């Protein structure tokens, strides 16, 4: 059997390397829907070759570099027998990996083409280890290699939310295990729940060891960059790391709003007593305006440095231990806080909660988690978050009521508390829900006080929800006509 590992970011490569080091991919896996519990038989064939399939999914590919060319990445790539490039394979089709949707009739031809190009015999058994299973190119790969078993590796916080797009049943039936980095204590991933996928957390020690290794093998590049960006005099002063994202490139906010958001982050760091701020843009982000950021730093009397080296934020945190990390809803905030015990501060979450659309946008779950946890407090002294699990369940149901019908009752109970109690501890939860969404689902907090009978509310499914919405509209029209 040959394993094909799909990865599109350096962080995902780190998580894959950590899983390989921990022996997670040596354990045989089998589709859960066969009643295996995700475990393969003991006599299952072991992997004879590990192939890293690299995909560049950047919005502007011409302005981004492959993550395997990043400093230190070569050490991680050595864990694989060889590397193949998905973009190169799709080049004759002039298609972006995220837009790759081969026609059903072409699937056998495409499989034969990829097997020849990637040196796979027709008789070779394949196991796919894919990222982001609900979008392409992961969906397309599952359709092309229709006989392959499928594992999923999740590197960030989206795994704690529902599957945002419908996955072909032929793909879901072959899924076995979800390998994920445990970033939210006490909360289990929700991704692929509809297929009863088995959750296997990565070892945190394996993850930190790989991050440290990545830093050790990029020492030369780091020393030159850090010497320019964060000299000895600067390191002796309180400093913060700001991690940028590419929100405007994704259409979530405008470029002007993103620039202002970065200025707000600088101001938040200064308000916390930071004298030096290091700004690290996202590797996939297009060039952004730096003039307004420098002006803001000068106005605040702090030193601003730009960190342009394509290095993971976790490597910087591991080697330099900043006093604070600031961002929007980057996964780096939660890894800094939960794994490296560095205070993390989320800025602009109210703006982003309002901006992301539609409501079922997968970024909503990471944003919700970051907004609740990353308040800038010292991790050791941070308060517990007893309502986080219930909040995520309610948001998950509102995002995907059909796939998450089992969460209807718990969401109703939570929303009843949130919208009935008039105190600061509950009112702050209002920002995570949209009134129109609650109204459409006949949930507490909706703009209409006319709810469907309980026996209908307890049932779930698209048809029932739509029927309830239509009934509400008829009731409201009769009320308004009186």
């Amino acid at each position: 059997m040959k394993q094909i590992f799909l990865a599109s970011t350096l962080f995902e490569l780190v998580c894959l390397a950590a899983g390989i080091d921990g022996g997670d991919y040596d354990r045989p896996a089998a589709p859960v829907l066969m009643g295996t519990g995700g475990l393969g038989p003991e006599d299952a064939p072991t992997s004879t070759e590990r192939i890293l399939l690299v995909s560049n999914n950047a919005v502007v590919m011409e302005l981004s570099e492959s993550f395997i060319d990043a400093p230190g990445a070569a050490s991680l790539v050595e864990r694989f027998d060889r590397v193949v490039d998905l973009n190169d394979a799709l080049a004759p089709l002039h298609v972006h990996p995220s837009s790759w949707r081969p026609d059903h009739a072409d699937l056998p031809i495409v499989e034969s083409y990829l097997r020849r190009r990637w040196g796979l015999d027709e008789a070779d058994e394949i196991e796919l280890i894919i990222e982001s299973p609900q979008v392409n190119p992961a969906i397309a790969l599952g359709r092309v290699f229709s006989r392959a078993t499928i594992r999923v590796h999740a590197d960030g916080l989206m795994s704690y939310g529902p599957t945002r797009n419908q996955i072909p049943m032929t793909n879901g039936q072959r899924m076995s295990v979800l390998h994920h980095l445990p970033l939210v204590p006490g909360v289990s991933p929700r991704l692929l729940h509809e297929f009863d996928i088995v959750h296997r957390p990565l070892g945190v020690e394996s993850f930190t060891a790989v991050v440290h290794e990545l830093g050790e093998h990029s020492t030369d590049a780091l020393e030159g960059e850090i010497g320019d960006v964060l000299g000895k005099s600067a390191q002796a002063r309180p400093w913060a790391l700001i991690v940028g994202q590419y929100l405007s490139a994704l259409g979530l906010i405008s470029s002007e709003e993103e620039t202002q958001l970065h200025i707000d982050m600088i101001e938040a760091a200064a308000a916390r007593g930071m004298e030096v701020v290091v700004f690290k843009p996202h590797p996939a982000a297009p060039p952004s305006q730096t003039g307004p950021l420098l002006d803001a730093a000068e106005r605040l009397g702090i030193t601003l440095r730009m960190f342009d080296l394509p290095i993971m934020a976790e490597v910087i945190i591991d080697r330099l231990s900043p006093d604070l990390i600031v961002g929007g809803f980057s996964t780096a905030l939660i890894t800094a806080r939960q794994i490296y015990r560095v205070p993390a501060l989320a800025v602009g979450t109210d703006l982003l909660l309002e901006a992301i659309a539609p409501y079922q946008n997968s970024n909503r779950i990471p944003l919700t988690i970051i907004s609740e946890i990353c308040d800038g407090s010292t991790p050791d002294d941070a308060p517990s978050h007893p309502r986080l699990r219930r909040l995520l369940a309610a948001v998950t149901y509102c995002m995907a009521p059909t796939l998450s019908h089992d969460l209807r009752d718990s969401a109703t109970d939570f929303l009843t508390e949130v919208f009935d109690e008039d105190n600061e501890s509950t009112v702050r939860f209002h920002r995570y829900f949209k009134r129109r969404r609650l109204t459409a689902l006949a949930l507490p907090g909706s703009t209409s006080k006319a709810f469907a009978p309980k026996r209908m509310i307890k049932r779930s499914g698209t048809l029932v929800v739509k029927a309830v919405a239509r009934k509400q509209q008829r009731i409201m029209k009769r009320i308004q006509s009186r």
Side-chain angles (χ1 to χ4, degrees), residues 47-324:
S47 174
T48 58
E49 188 176 28
R50 285 183 172 140
I51 303 169
L52 176 62
L53 176 58
V54 176
S55 177
N56 184 350
N57 299 340
V59 177
V60 185
M61 291 189 293
E62 293 78 9
L63 298 178
S64 63
E65 296 181 0
S66 175
F67 64 90
I68 63 172
D69 295 326
S75 171
L76 309 188
V77 172
E78 290 177 357
R79 289 168 170 79
F80 302 89
D81 296 292
R82 54 195 176 96
V83 179
V84 294
D85 193 303
L86 181 60
N87 294 74
D88 288 346
L90 299 180
L93 302 176
H94 304 287
V95 62
H96 190 283
S98 299
S99 305
W100 180 37
R101 295 177 179 84
D103 291 337
H104 179 75
D106 295 336
L107 294 179
I109 299 174
V110 176
E111 180 179 7
S112 179
Y113 162 71
L114 291 180
R115 281 181 178 271
R116 288 199 310 270
R117 188 178 183 97
W118 294 341
L120 303 170
D121 294 334
E122 293 295 329
D124 285 339
E125 292 186 23
I126 302 296
E127 182 179 48
L128 293 174
I129 296 93
I130 58 175
E131 63 179 55
S132 303
Q134 66 273 51
V135 295
N136 288 313
I139 288 179
L141 285 169
R143 293 174 59 228
V144 169
F145 294 98
S146 58
R147 294 166 293 169
T149 56
I150 301 175
R151 301 196 207 201
V152 178
H153 68 96
D155 64 313
L157 296 173
M158 284 188 184
S159 61
Y160 292 93
T163 312
R164 71 178 183 266
N165 297 326
Q166 185 175 3
I167 293 178
M169 184 63 70
T170 53
N171 282 17
Q173 290 175 332
R174 291 177 283 134
M175 291 182 177
S176 57
V177 178
L178 171 65
H179 300 275
H180 68 99
L181 190 61
L183 295 174
V184 189
V187 180
S188 298
R190 188 72 189 183
L191 181 66
L192 301 171
H193 174 80
E194 63 272 25
F195 294 111
D196 292 327
I197 198 166
V198 174
H199 305 143
R200 286 188 190 164
L202 297 174
V204 173
E205 297 80 5
S206 297
F207 174 79
T208 54
V210 173
V211 170
H212 187 74
E213 175 188 340
L214 186 62
E216 289 292 318
H217 284 83
S218 53
T219 300
D220 294 340
L222 274 172
E223 287 182 351
E225 183 75 12
I226 291 171
D228 296 335
V229 171
L230 199 60
K232 291 183 179 180
S233 60
Q235 290 187 56
R237 300 152 62 191
W239 71 283
L241 174 66
I242 294 181
V243 287
Q245 292 174 259
Y246 55 113
L247 305 178
S248 61
L250 294 176
L252 297 179
I253 57 178
S254 66
S255 58
E256 292 77 12
E257 288 175 322
E258 188 162 45
T259 299
Q260 183 57 51
L261 183 59
H262 292 158
I263 292 174
D264 294 342
M265 293 176 185
I266 295 173
E267 292 176 345
R272 298 250 170 181
M274 301 296 109
E275 299 178 10
V276 178
V277 169
V278 176
F279 182 83
K280 182 188 180 303
H282 192 280
S288 59
Q289 298 181 8
T290 58
L293 308 187
L294 294 169
D295 293 341
E298 184 177 1
R299 169 172 54 83
L300 295 167
I302 63 176
T303 302
L304 174 65
R305 296 286 186 263
M306 306 300 294
F307 192 97
D308 294 324
L309 198 66
I311 287 290
M312 276 175 44
E314 286 78 5
V315 173
I316 301 174
I317 296 167
D318 178 63
R319 295 181 69 86
L320 299 176
S321 300
D323 299 290
L324 178 70

